[in-house]
Amino acid sequence: MRLASLFFVSSLTVGAVFCPALHSAWAQDNAADVSAGHSLATKVCAVCHVAAPDQRTQPMLQPPAVPFATIMQRPDVTADSLRTFMATTHRGLDKPNGMPDPDLADYQVKQVVAYLLSLRK
């Protein structure tokens, strides 16, 4: 019993020591994804959307598609719903003006999603 208790306490101590390091590594990865997602959004998505206040060009689509900041204020928008939306074609014969498939790699979708979630207030 004493050995089991010692193992449990040791496990908690190790977990407490490493959790801040894991959180820090996750935060750095997330910050890198947010930055890369911002860059991608201002290059790819800004053709139709106001993707960021600092984007260099205005959307060519008139009127522009819904701004990213507005999308992110919707309570039903989640990381999963964003990933699904970006992986689905929304343009077809029935919706000729629907959003085209941005044709992003999985890691790029992850980055854009991280950027979008960073806009949530």
Side-chain angles (χ1 to χ4, degrees):
M1 181 66 155
R2 180 175 266 191
L3 185 59
S5 298
L6 181 61
F7 175 76
F8 180 72
V9 171
S10 296
S11 297
L12 289 176
T13 305
V14 169
V17 170
F18 287 111
C19 281
L22 291 174
H23 177 72
S24 177
W26 177 85
Q28 288 174 351
D29 286 348
N30 192 55
D33 283 343
V34 169
S35 178
H38 173 269
S39 180
L40 257 169
T42 58
K43 292 175 184 150
V44 176
C45 309
V47 173
C48 299
H49 294 269
V50 174
D54 63 343
Q55 69 188 48
R56 294 181 184 212
T57 60
Q58 292 301 309
M60 291 178 11
L61 184 63
Q62 292 301 322
V66 181
F68 281 7
T70 301
I71 292 169
M72 293 314 300
Q73 299 318 307
R74 296 176 182 164
D76 60 330
V77 174
T78 65
D80 286 337
S81 70
L82 290 167
R83 280 190 290 274
T84 300
F85 189 86
M86 284 192 275
T88 308
T89 300
H90 302 279
R91 178 177 281 182
L93 293 175
D94 59 332
K95 284 183 153 182
N97 295 326
M99 183 175 130
D101 182 350
D103 200 30
L104 299 173
D106 289 343
Y107 76 93
Q108 292 171 315
V109 170
K110 178 183 175 225
Q111 293 168 340
V112 173
V113 167
Y115 168 64
L116 286 165
L117 292 173
S118 78
L119 300 177
R120 183 156 276 155
K121 293 180 183 176

